[in-house]
Structure formats: structure tokens, C-alpha cells
Amino acid sequence: DIQMTQSPSAMFASLGDRITITCRASQAISNSLAWFQQKPGNAPQRLIYAASFLQSGVPSRFSGSGSGTEFTLTISSLQPEDFATYFCLQYRNEPWTFGQGTKVEVK
Amino acid sequence: EVQLVQSGAEVKKSGESLKISCKGSGYVFSTYWIGWVRQVPGRGLEWVGVIYPGDSDTRYSPSFQGQVTMSVDKSTNTAYLQWGSLKASDTAIYYCARHQFITGGQFDYWGQGTQVTVSS
């Protein structure tokens, strides 16, 4: 199985901050990576697909980059509704595997 | 509007059987795979497998192969995940999500989740 190592596992940030979350794959996955946001009690929602394509309806402050084994999710200016947990997912090989998650909390 | 609506929470005992459901609407159900994902607090998200309603082709994660069974009923646009004999370790939230093997097709819509609680 491909291991997805996500960092950090948690972070504290303030409104307006620029934050970056990283996922590293244990082997190359091309651009077969998606990012999801999850709020307590809700299902995950996709933000980014194919590493850098913004899901329709997702604010442009979210962006994704990377290819191969290293990927990043960036939020350019943190808004109140962005405090949540973020996951990456690789879908290059089965079984698909998720990162462990990054919880973004208020500083 | 695309929707995936899952069945309600279940509380069961070890050894009992269970079948949970995921009903799709707002799109052509038979042309999208349905995937299942398990979420256990502290263990993150785990891919259970996917099923294609068009021909019931299934792909299981090795971790779940033989532990669960995926099925579909095309006549009602419903996918199912079932257990023959539950264990306490099956306690989790189970999500369904739709998927296509095209760019942008992976898990774009999710169900609301079904909490499964198994007591020993």
C-alpha cells in the first residue's frame, strides 16, 4: 500500500494567516491526489482534485500543488469557516489511502 | 442536485449481521462507482472498496476483503455494505461517495455517513 504522510497533524493559526499542509507519498503517484475538508459531524468535502484543480464552488483562497511524492494544500488567508480538519487522498493505486489529517485550530 | 443519502445509525451486538445503504439521486447512478470509507476516531479515514452499479464489479481493500460485502440494486439506485458477523472493531462511521475513473471523478460527492456501534 502507498503510505501518505501528512504534516503537521495539528496547527494553530489566526484569521488572515497563510497556512500550508503537506502530504508525502511513499512512492510516486503522479498527480493522483485530492484534498478534503471535514468539519465535526459532517462528511468530508472535496477541495482539490488532480493535485491542483479547484473543486467547483470552493473559494480561490484554497490552492494545491505538487506532483510525484510531495504535495501541498495552501490557504492564502484563513477565514473563520476554514477551522476544520484536512485530509489528502491518493488514488493512483488501490487500495486508495488517506493522510492522517491536519486539524487547524484557532490560535 | 446530486445526493447520496445513507441509512440511519445502527447499534448492534457482536456476532449480529448488518446491512447499511446509500441511495443516489440527481445523476445516472449506474455510470458512477460507489466507494465506501470507514472513519474511526484516532485512525483517520480508510478506503473499504468500490462497486460499479453497471455490472456489480467490485474492488476491495485487502484490509476489508472477506470482512464486508458490497452490493447494489440498480432498480432503486441503492448501494449496500453488509457484515455477516459484526465485531466490536467494526464500530465506526461509514461513508459512501461516488467515483469515476476520469480526472476529477474521485469522491466528488459523499453521503452523510452512517454510525455503526457494535457492543461486545
Side-chain angles (χ1 to χ4, degrees):
Chain A
D1 299 4
I2 296 176
Q3 306 304 315
M4 301 302 296
T5 303
Q6 190 173 337
S7 61
S9 56
M11 63 189 310
F12 294 88
S14 301
L15 292 176
D17 280 357
R18 178 185 181 90
I19 68 166
T20 298
I21 298 167
T22 298
C23 262
R24 289 188 173 86
S26 59
Q27 64 190 74
I29 59 170
S30 185
N31 68 338
S32 300
L33 184 111
W35 290 97
F36 296 86
Q37 178 193 69
Q38 188 177 31
K39 296 181 180 177
N42 290 339
Q45 289 192 304
R46 194 173 72 175
L47 302 172
I48 301 286
Y49 63 90
S52 61
F53 289 81
L54 193 66
Q55 174 73 25
S56 175
V58 173
S60 59
R61 63 181 179 272
F62 291 91
S63 63
S65 64
S67 183
T69 61
E70 187 151 339
F71 302 86
T72 59
L73 172 71
T74 299
I75 307 175
S76 61
S77 178
L78 206 60
Q79 299 302 301
E81 60 270 29
D82 300 337
F83 292 100
T85 300
Y86 295 85
F87 297 93
C88 61
L89 165 69
Q90 73 78 22
Y91 48 86
R92 178 69 175 176
N93 285 356
E94 294 172 4
W96 295 3
T97 45
F98 291 87
Q100 306 95 312
T102 297
K103 188 172 184 180
V104 178
E105 298 181 273
V106 178
K107 186 185 286 183
Chain B
E1 180 196 6
V2 174
Q3 282 194 310
L4 294 170
V5 178
Q6 298 185 231
S7 49
E10 301 275 1
V11 179
K12 293 287 190 178
K13 293 192 167 89
S14 290
E16 292 185 330
S17 62
L18 175 64
K19 194 172 189 177
I20 62 174
S21 66
C22 169
K23 184 175 175 63
S25 62
Y27 71 100
V28 182
F29 184 75
S30 61
T31 62
Y32 282 78
W33 294 71
I34 291 289
W36 290 94
V37 174
R38 183 172 82 174
Q39 185 168 38
V40 177
R43 286 191 58 178
L45 296 160
E46 299 169 279
W47 184 81
V48 175
V50 291
I51 184 166
Y52 188 64
D55 59 6
S56 293
D57 185 16
T58 55
R59 303 181 185 187
Y60 290 93
S61 165
S63 298
F64 291 89
Q65 179 84 48
Q67 308 304 308
V68 297
T69 303
M70 295 181 291
S71 61
V72 293
D73 180 345
K74 285 192 294 186
S75 68
T76 60
N77 288 357
T78 303
Y80 298 95
L81 183 66
Q82 67 181 84
W83 294 259
S85 179
L86 285 160
K87 310 181 191 65
S89 57
D90 294 319
T91 296
I93 299 173
Y94 292 85
Y95 293 101
C96 64
R98 76 169 193 175
H99 157 62
Q100 274 192 330
F101 286 101
I102 59 171
T103 298
Q106 294 74 23
F107 286 1
D108 57 346
Y109 286 89
W110 293 61
Q112 82 277 20
T114 296
Q115 172 72 55
V116 173
T117 304
V118 184
S119 62
S120 51

